[in-house]
Amino acid sequence: MSEEDPRILELRAMRAKSREGGGADRIQKQHAKGKATARERIEMLLDRGTFNELEPFITGHIDDMSMATEKYLGDGVVTGYGQIDGRTVYVYAQDFTIYGGTLSEMQSHKICRVMDLALRNGAPCIGLLDSGGARIQEGVKALGGYAEIFRRNAQYSGVIPQVSVMMGPCAGGAAYSPALQDLIIMIEKQSFMFLTGPEVIKAVTGEVIDSESLGGSDIHMSVSGVAHLAAKDEAEALALVRQFLAFLPSNNVENPPFHLSGDDSARMDEHLNSIVPIDPSLPYVMHQVIEAVVDKDTFLEIQPAWARNAVVGLARIGGHSVGIVAQEPAVMAGVIDIDASDKMTRFVRMCDCFNVPLVTFVDSPGFLPGIAQEHGGIIRHGAKLLYAYSEATVPKVCVITRKAYGGAYVVMSSKYLGTDVTYAWPSAEIAVLGAEGAVNILFKKQIEGAADPAAERKQLAADYREKFNNPYQAASTGYVDDIIEPRETRAKVIAALSALRDKYAPAPPRKHGNIPV
Ligand code: HXC
């Protein structure tokens, strides 16, 4: 057998060295924390054997400005392309074993390169982040490196899907890049997002706080609303990326992929006909309505633990991707507050930019009244939702299940905001205000002057309900397109979406709008 060419041997040795990352000790430390390495994560994410690495031999600059002492091949990030469900994706995974995965000038160059390729080829870009933020030794070069990434995040937004999985600590710039993307997935007890870490906070303010309380997945899933999905471990987090991307097209000029669901399009759920209680003050669970209408087991709820009075998520209906937006009457009666407005707005815009039709279920008494909401800017936040629904050109179908009072009627995909088909259930109540509030205003003098004001108010409220607690008045004036039995909803929504598939609704030319952020 002839001897191997030494140049081939050298290449193999270099490749092996690049796979060592920051060295065996640091890899072992990473594994000891229950964390996989960057390359192991990419293998878990992509279809088997499809990953092709780019620029593995890049090293960090070590010059006068840098205090870093060692050059590591790859410079703390593994980049390249591969496939998910046979579709091309671009990926970068930070390697915590090299300077804590921190961002250097050359790491930024590598990340920007895959982002540029993703854009040019109309494919999603996925980041697996595990990083201490800007590499301190590189000073302004690292900061500039982040700016390069942020600019691309913003400019490519709405052109290709961008997804971030937080695999560990993600500090400083490592938190801002994901915040500019379409989806952030966190891992319970393992990933943390903050602008300044516990060490810096301690140095600046003396305050001692642990990473979990500062920016763990619970905080970002239920308090800040920064994260969209949480997983219990790395494998589950990476599986969520695959599940999410299966709902979306690879770019904004494609349509979402069709997946035959096997669920009967004409399926009727008899339970829906009795799901709304006769007593309008009693709640029911909108999640059950959603599950009954969409293809079985396809609903992927986004931000399930934040602003729970609103529900958003992706699903399939008749095999096609849809974005579901709804109120949850079982939480705060489905009222719309600041956080719910923000949650629904962002989701509506994501669906619109990726050609995912919107199906909205409405049951809301309106905007949450009170000084905290007014002073917190509910006008500004609620306006975002109006803006998003008005601007969205994807097919829009709306189902009013019960209350659609005042702002809730108008804002939640109402017909004259441009919704294509609006259905109401027989339990729909469409009015400017709820009965008590309305009669207090309309019949103030009459109630005050009555022998028994309480009885008078009750009677007037009953008359008002009689008039407005049904969808017929709205239907008689064309404000809803049809009144349907709840059990028919699935078939009706599928038929509407099918009739709207070739919808053409060009927006007037402009540079961009000025959404009230
Ligand atoms: C250089 C860093 C670093 C950094 C960590 N390391 N952060 N090197 N620059 N920012 C190195 C450590 O020296 C160590 O090197 C290795 O990474 C692992 O770090 P440890 O601290 O040992 O790990 P751990 O205990 O798990 O803690 C991880 C951490 C912590 C939570 C990320 O290191 C930390 O708080 N770092 C600073 C985070 C921060 O405040 N960054 C903000 C940067 S400013 P060795 O050689 O021992 O393996 C920023 C501005 C951008 O990003 C602004 C954009 C708008």
Side-chain angles (χ1 to χ4, degrees):
M1 210 167 80
S2 65
E3 257 182 46
E4 288 272 17
D5 183 326
R7 291 167 300 184
I8 305 290
L9 293 175
E10 185 188 17
L11 171 62
R12 288 182 190 158
M14 287 290 281
R15 280 183 159 180
K17 190 166 166 45
S18 86
R19 278 193 287 270
E20 279 168 15
D25 287 354
R26 289 199 183 87
I27 290 179
Q28 200 198 347
K29 226 171 129 186
Q30 179 86 344
H31 284 157
K33 289 185 203 157
K35 294 165 74 177
T37 64
R39 285 187 179 77
E40 288 163 350
R41 286 167 176 166
I42 290 175
E43 291 299 327
M44 265 192 270
L45 172 70
L46 300 179
D47 295 350
R48 189 186 291 271
T50 61
F51 181 56
N52 285 277
E53 191 168 344
L54 294 169
E55 305 184 323
F57 301 124
I58 274 186
T59 57
H61 286 319
I62 298 191
D63 54 30
D64 291 346
M65 209 176 138
S66 174
M67 294 155 68
T69 49
E70 273 204 75
K71 282 188 175 197
Y72 294 98
L73 293 180
D75 205 24
V77 70
V78 180
T79 61
Y81 52 87
Q83 295 193 338
I84 288 182
D85 293 335
R87 297 194 295 162
T88 296
V89 296
Y90 287 81
V91 62
Y92 59 90
Q94 286 173 318
D95 183 347
F96 195 77
T97 68
I98 297 177
Y99 294 118
T102 50
L103 191 101
S104 63
E105 183 185 22
M106 292 314 287
Q107 184 179 125
S108 165
H109 161 91
K110 288 183 70 175
I111 292 173
C112 290
R113 172 127 175 87
V114 283
M115 291 177 77
D116 291 346
L117 285 171
L119 182 88
R120 262 182 249 149
N121 295 288
C125 190
I126 303 157
L128 311 182
L129 286 86
D130 196 353
S131 170
R135 192 173 302 167
I136 298 165
Q137 300 92 324
E138 292 222 3
V140 71
K141 288 185 183 175
L143 299 180
Y146 265 129
E148 291 279 2
I149 295 171
F150 300 160
R151 175 164 54 83
R152 285 171 173 79
N153 285 140
Q155 288 184 338
Y156 303 173
S157 175
V159 183
I160 50 169
Q162 300 181 66
V163 178
S164 272
V165 192
M166 320 309 279
M167 311 296 298
C170 295
Y176 262 136
S177 173
L180 291 164
Q181 303 185 22
D182 298 301
L183 194 84
I184 296 177
I185 301 172
M186 292 189 75
I187 301 172
E188 290 164 16
K189 311 271 182 281
Q190 179 172 319
S191 54
F192 312 103
M193 287 177 82
F194 33 71
L195 291 187
T196 39
E199 294 298 329
V200 180
I201 292 179
K202 196 168 145 203
V204 175
T205 68
E207 194 187 348
V208 177
I209 184 162
D210 62 281
S211 296
E212 182 73 31
S213 325
L214 186 62
S217 74
D218 279 356
I219 297 295
H220 289 310
M221 286 299 290
S222 62
V223 180
S224 71
V226 165
H228 300 98
L229 294 170
K232 62 178 187 322
D233 56 30
E234 297 194 4
E236 190 180 298
L238 298 170
L240 281 171
V241 178
R242 298 174 63 95
Q243 194 182 349
F244 174 74
L245 289 178
F247 288 107
L248 296 188
S250 292
N251 56 63
N252 66 334
V253 292
E254 285 181 8
N255 281 321
F258 175 79
H259 291 267
L260 199 60
S261 68
D263 195 356
D264 181 5
S265 293
R267 175 172 59 78
M268 293 218 191
D269 196 320
E270 298 297 330
H271 168 62
L272 287 183
N273 269 11
S274 56
I275 197 167
V276 178
I278 300 280
D279 179 348
S281 64
L282 292 179
Y284 59 96
V285 180
M286 188 66 93
H287 281 84
Q288 291 176 2
V289 174
I290 296 167
E291 297 283 356
V293 170
V294 303
D295 294 351
K296 276 203 168 51
D297 301 324
T298 60
F299 184 50
L300 174 65
E301 187 171 358
I302 311 274
Q303 294 179 310
W306 180 63
R308 289 173 48 242
N309 36 329
V311 183
V312 300
L314 294 159
R316 279 191 198 89
I317 184 155
H320 292 281
S321 293
V322 287
I324 302 287
V325 185
Q327 269 89 32
E328 179 48 89
V331 179
M332 295 163 67
V335 76
I336 305 174
D337 60 0
I338 288 172
D339 286 349
S341 302
D342 283 2
K343 174 173 167 174
M344 293 188 282
T345 299
R346 192 176 147 81
F347 183 76
V348 165
R349 299 191 93 223
M350 183 186 77
C351 290
D352 188 46
C353 58
F354 292 119
N355 310 320
V356 176
L358 288 161
V359 178
T360 303
F361 294 92
V362 187
D363 185 351
S364 175
F367 284 101
L368 181 60
I371 196 163
Q373 291 287 307
E374 297 291 352
H375 289 193
I378 183 73
I379 296 174
R380 181 161 50 85
H381 294 277
K384 293 180 210 176
L385 190 53
L386 274 169
Y387 192 108
Y389 267 120
S390 303
E391 182 187 46
T393 55
V394 287
K396 290 179 281 191
V397 176
C398 176
V399 182
I400 302 171
T401 60
R402 190 168 60 177
K403 295 178 185 132
Y405 290 160
Y409 166 76
V410 184
V411 171
M412 291 299 292
S413 198
S414 65
K415 190 167 172 183
Y416 295 101
L417 281 187
T419 294
D420 301 291
V421 178
T422 302
Y423 290 125
W425 285 4
S427 45
E429 304 167 19
I430 303 167
V432 174
L433 280 181
E436 273 70 26
V439 298
N440 274 351
I441 292 165
L442 290 179
F443 304 108
K444 192 172 174 213
K445 286 199 189 102
Q446 189 176 328
I447 292 169
E448 281 169 3
D452 182 347
E456 183 72 5
R457 181 182 297 114
K458 208 170 158 196
Q459 182 55 47
L460 287 166
D463 294 346
Y464 182 94
R465 278 199 202 93
E466 174 78 23
K467 185 159 187 202
F468 288 110
N469 277 15
N470 64 68
Y472 296 101
Q473 214 224 12
S476 72
T477 45
Y479 284 81
V480 299
D481 290 306
D482 198 5
I483 302 167
I484 59 172
E485 283 193 40
R487 64 182 186 145
E488 298 174 299
T489 306
R490 174 175 164 79
K492 286 285 186 187
V493 170
I494 290 175
L497 290 175
S498 159
L500 295 167
R501 194 130 290 128
D502 297 321
K503 178 177 174 184
Y504 176 66
R510 61 179 172 184
K511 186 172 175 192
H512 60 71
N514 188 11
I515 189 166
V517 287

